Amino acid sequence: MDPQAPASNDRLDSWKEIAAYLKRDVTTVRRWEKREGLPVHRHLHDRRDSVYAFPAELDGWLEGRRNTPPAAAEPPRRSWRGMSISLAIAAAVVMSGALVAVTYRGALPPDNGAVRVPFSVPHPLTLAEAATGGDFSVSPDGRRLAFVAQEVDGTRRLWMRPLDSLAAVPLAETEGAANPFWSPDGTFVAFFAQRALKKIGAAGGPVQILADAVQPRGGTWNAEGVILFAVNAGEQLYRVSSSGGPVTRVDLNHVNGNSHWPDFLPDGRHFIYHGRSQKPGIYLGTLDSPQTRLLATGYISAEYASGHLLLLTGGTQSQTSGTLMAQAFDTASLRLAGEAAPLAESVAIRPQFARGVFSTSDTGTVMYGTSRHQVTQLVWLDRDGRTVGTVTSPGRYERAALSPDEETVAVEVIDPHLETPDIWLLDASRGVMSRFTSEPSAERMPLWSPDGTRLLFSSPRDGRPPELFEKMTNGATETPFFGSDLIVQPTDWSRDGRFVVYGRRDSKTQWDVWVVPANAGGADRKPAIYLQTPFNEHHGHLSPDGRWMAYASDQSGRWEVYVGEFPGGGGRWQVSAGGGVEPRWRPDGKELFYVSPDGTLTAVTLQFNQRMVVPAAPQPLFRARFGEFGAVIFRPVYAPSHDGRKFLVNVVVEETTASPVTMILNWPATMPRR
């Protein structure tokens, strides 16, 4: 119980009960709580959706609200009018993919004619969790949806669904697809897969490769057959013909190269995009000149539709949701006009990709993903996946690291107010937690020193990319470990204390494995490359004897686990089969563990014959619901015990969003007239 809550047994214990008591739907009462001060309480564990309220307080609030001027009150509920709205309702029921009753609850301004319905994909598919942003796209005419779904075996594939049908069909040769977008006439869909930009007919057919795309960040297609796309995370935009051919860079006078998620305006020459420079925001560019102009700050994503820019609030490197706004845009002067009006709240953001999860059509349809929070719990699992110990109560935890003596856990805990993680230390035997970091910026990826006296972690400070900091566990002041102008993530600290292994993201070579001396200081702490190729390499982890480096690489087209000699120069051997990430050595060096694509923790016994690695066949141990958060390639949380008989695992125990995608029909009718 909240100690500040009134003492009463007459309590409403969920949003559903509160909404029923007030005779409103859940969306309305949530908005009332946020905008109008509806008296709702939250439990001490700070789960955002775990709420309760007292009828007496609600009654008092309602009475005060009735005495407010009519202009400040909730708009009165009105009935729908006209056959067109009835048809929209019927269509919405079909589009939702489920037998849902659509009722108007006054959540929108009166007489607007807009319809909001949930959307789901056919069972047993699951809508892919946006490896590059929002993995669905509404066709320009608003009649079809191209979406990436994950199948039972973990394969991601592009699917097509007419929105007036319950049937969805897969498109052949689209394995690994991400971030689809349409041709202006709706006959083709472009998408990214296997490090390339591709296109396919909306009805299927052969796939054509158009260009290389190392770490794509969105694309857009104009009526002249020009495709504008972001080839890599840290570069500017490129253009290519929709028929293929030469790829040329689009010159922009931006301060840096981070230009992502372009969207053509109606003239097909100008475009908007998200720029990360000294002033992050939405920029205007053109194919005809390098000149750019900042249109709006405080937004992370934008699309043009129906005479408006749809803008998603956001911009911090850890923000996971924002409000979708619509603001009139004059295509003649190329300037925003009037005031922005809200369309939807809690729209999901993929902060690591600087992308909001929404898609628009030219006919007044918008679809958006709702921010999803996972409630997780740190538990001990044995080699068969049975729970043999509970470390924490349910909460919002992310990555965790087990101290060398296995007595303390350093874990990222999400601050419910800032939506950013801080690092806490947990006494595993007593269950007592204490805060370790408290900066407003996110602190992630805790890493223990071999003697257990220090922690490394990654954090962005003063607008810089995340860099490494060091702090003693006795609470001393943190200090920078070494400076870097690129994103770095610590992955291991050698058993002898000499080296820290980390991943570094380069705009040209993607993720690479680097090593830095840990015992040196100042100018002597010089990083060195362990492995750098045109492919991704990450998750570097040294064997206990310091002779071998395990890491994951996508050089084969999917992530696999490899072992190579350390400090380098020798052979490298693939030890996973069928995909794998997150290699971890058993502390005695007798086994290597990794996570398969379907979430199965897998063990491999290795033999070392002089300078050769001979891996045995991988042995699946158990499948767990690892928490999904942060960068996709740095996802699972597990740590083996010294004897390899049990594992500390962060498992999902609750999802807080049951319907992750919502569709709004005829949204322009909600906008004020100009």
Side-chain angles (χ1 to χ4, degrees):
M1 286 283 293
D2 185 337
Q4 298 179 348
S8 172
N9 293 324
D10 188 12
R11 194 173 79 175
L12 306 167
D13 284 316
S14 67
W15 284 114
K16 184 176 181 181
E17 290 185 12
I18 296 168
Y21 181 80
L22 295 173
K23 296 182 175 60
R24 294 292 191 276
D25 65 0
V26 170
T27 301
T28 298
V29 297
R30 287 191 182 193
R31 188 176 71 253
W32 281 355
E33 190 263 341
K34 183 173 183 179
R35 297 182 181 176
E36 300 186 37
L38 183 72
V40 172
H41 301 276
R42 284 174 171 78
H43 296 278
L44 288 178
H45 53 61
D46 278 330
R47 280 165 45 198
R48 171 165 291 186
D49 285 340
S50 178
V51 300
Y52 60 92
F54 297 91
E57 290 185 342
L58 298 179
D59 292 342
W61 179 86
L62 277 175
E63 184 62 27
R65 191 172 183 274
R66 292 189 186 101
N67 295 328
T68 59
E74 183 75 10
R77 287 184 284 177
R78 305 280 183 88
S79 59
W80 280 319
R81 304 174 189 173
M83 181 60 69
S84 62
I85 301 302
S86 298
L87 292 174
I89 300 169
V93 173
V94 173
M95 292 179 207
S96 68
L99 298 177
V100 295
V102 182
T103 56
Y104 181 61
R105 298 293 187 186
L108 295 171
D111 297 326
N112 57 54
V115 181
R116 295 176 185 245
V117 290
F119 179 87
S120 59
V121 299
H123 182 77
L125 301 176
T126 57
L127 198 63
E129 264 298 312
T132 58
D135 275 7
F136 55 83
S137 182
V138 184
S139 63
D141 62 7
R143 295 178 176 271
R144 289 165 294 173
L145 183 74
F147 64 94
V148 178
Q150 185 164 301
E151 300 167 17
V152 176
D153 64 357
T155 301
R156 295 168 56 95
R157 197 186 316 271
L158 189 62
W159 288 67
M160 187 65 61
R161 175 175 169 180
L163 290 180
D164 59 356
S165 169
L166 297 179
V169 296
L171 299 184
E173 302 180 33
T174 61
E175 291 80 4
N179 189 36
F181 59 97
W182 290 81
S183 63
D185 60 5
T187 58
F188 287 92
V189 177
F191 63 97
F192 298 94
Q194 288 84 43
R195 303 162 60 86
L197 170 65
K198 305 180 180 183
K199 75 172 185 179
I200 188 172
V207 171
Q208 180 181 353
I209 298 176
L210 302 177
D212 292 335
V214 181
Q215 286 185 311
R217 293 294 189 271
T220 184
W221 191 328
N222 73 7
E224 299 176 356
V226 174
I227 291 179
L228 190 66
F229 68 106
V231 65
N232 207 338
E235 293 194 40
Q236 290 186 354
L237 302 174
Y238 287 76
R239 60 181 290 178
V240 66
S241 168
S242 59
S243 301
V247 177
T248 58
R249 180 166 173 162
V250 177
D251 290 328
L252 302 173
N253 63 355
H254 222 132
V255 176
N256 63 20
N258 287 280
S259 307
H260 302 144
W261 309 107
D263 187 49
F264 273 119
L265 296 176
D267 65 4
R269 307 302 296 175
H270 291 88
F271 53 89
I272 55 176
Y273 64 95
H274 175 247
R276 279 184 170 178
S277 66
Q278 292 179 347
K279 289 186 177 180
I282 305 304
Y283 284 78
L284 174 73
T286 176
L287 297 178
D288 304 317
S289 165
Q291 296 299 313
T292 62
R293 187 172 82 239
L294 179 64
L295 292 175
T297 59
Y299 297 107
I300 197 168
S301 289
E303 290 188 13
Y304 175 86
S306 304
H308 294 76
L309 292 191
L310 270 64
L311 303 151
L312 185 61
T313 61
T316 66
Q317 296 191 6
S318 56
Q319 190 171 344
T320 58
S321 66
T323 299
L324 187 61
M325 312 288 288
Q327 187 169 358
F329 185 78
D330 188 330
T331 55
S333 65
L334 299 173
R335 294 186 182 277
L336 289 162
E339 298 293 328
L343 272 183
E345 297 178 353
S346 298
V347 177
I349 293 174
R350 305 292 179 243
Q352 65 271 31
F353 301 110
R355 175 62 173 169
V357 182
F358 68 95
S359 176
T360 65
S361 77
D362 297 332
T363 56
T365 298
V366 60
M367 297 186 70
Y368 62 91
T370 304
S371 178
R372 186 188 70 169
H373 298 307
Q374 291 184 333
V375 177
T376 63
Q377 188 171 23
L378 291 172
V379 298
W380 284 107
L381 302 180
D382 66 13
R383 292 177 72 96
D384 294 321
R386 293 186 295 258
T387 301
V388 294
T390 300
V391 181
T392 66
S393 59
R396 292 185 61 190
Y397 310 107
E398 296 201 344
R399 300 169 186 86
L402 186 63
S403 64
D405 61 9
E406 299 187 1
E407 294 182 359
T408 309
V409 179
V411 58
E412 300 171 14
V413 181
I414 297 295
D415 184 306
H417 305 295
L418 300 176
E419 288 294 319
T420 58
D422 290 316
I423 297 173
W424 290 63
L425 298 183
L426 168 66
D427 186 321
S429 61
R430 298 189 299 142
V432 177
M433 295 187 68
S434 59
R435 182 184 289 272
F436 184 69
T437 65
S438 57
E439 291 288 329
S441 56
E443 286 91 25
R444 295 185 180 276
M445 303 174 187
L447 179 67
W448 290 91
S449 64
D451 60 6
T453 63
R454 292 170 287 168
L455 277 172
L456 279 183
F457 57 89
S458 175
S459 180
R461 302 288 171 83
D462 302 322
R464 294 171 53 83
E467 53 188 310
L468 299 188
F469 292 85
E470 180 181 21
K471 186 175 181 179
M472 301 293 291
T473 55
N474 62 9
T477 303
E478 66 187 40
T479 58
F481 193 68
F482 71 92
S484 175
D485 293 329
L486 300 175
I487 296 174
V488 294
Q489 297 178 342
T491 59
D492 191 30
W493 200 322
S494 65
R495 183 70 62 87
D496 60 13
R498 295 175 58 198
F499 302 105
V500 166
V501 184
Y502 64 97
R504 193 184 83 158
R505 194 174 74 179
D506 185 278
S507 63
K508 300 186 182 303
T509 59
Q510 308 184 79
W511 283 105
D512 305 309
V513 178
W514 285 67
V515 177
V516 61
N519 295 327
D524 293 329
R525 187 171 281 172
K526 296 180 180 179
I529 298 171
Y530 171 74
L531 186 60
Q532 185 179 59
T533 75
F535 306 98
N536 279 299
E537 299 90 24
H538 205 356
H539 312 158
H541 207 251
L542 282 166
S543 61
D545 62 8
R547 294 181 54 202
W548 308 95
M549 178 80 79
Y551 63 92
S553 171
D554 65 354
Q555 67 181 44
S556 67
R558 66 180 175 190
W559 286 96
E560 298 281 4
V561 174
Y562 299 81
V563 171
E565 288 188 87
F566 183 78
R572 306 181 191 278
W573 297 265
Q574 180 178 326
V575 300
S576 62
V581 293
E582 292 288 331
R584 291 284 185 273
W585 293 91
R586 180 166 147 178
D588 61 9
K590 295 181 179 180
E591 281 183 305
L592 185 68
F593 305 104
Y594 66 87
V595 179
S596 299
D598 65 354
T600 298
L601 187 64
T602 305
V604 178
T605 300
L606 302 177
Q607 293 183 352
F608 303 97
N609 183 8
Q610 295 180 349
R611 299 183 65 182
M612 291 283 293
V613 176
V614 183
Q619 299 296 316
L621 299 181
F622 59 84
R623 186 174 181 179
R625 281 199 76 195
F626 294 101
E628 299 178 2
F629 39 76
V632 173
I633 61 172
F634 201 92
R635 174 177 292 174
V637 169
Y638 77 97
S641 63
H642 287 163
D643 57 10
R645 294 182 180 179
K646 62 180 182 178
F647 303 85
L648 180 68
V649 179
N650 191 18
V651 297
V652 177
V653 296
E654 180 183 337
E655 297 280 3
T656 61
T657 299
S659 180
V661 178
T662 299
M663 177 164 44
I664 308 177
L665 306 176
N666 196 27
W667 66 265
T670 69
M671 296 294 102
R673 296 184 181 275
R674 288 183 283 166

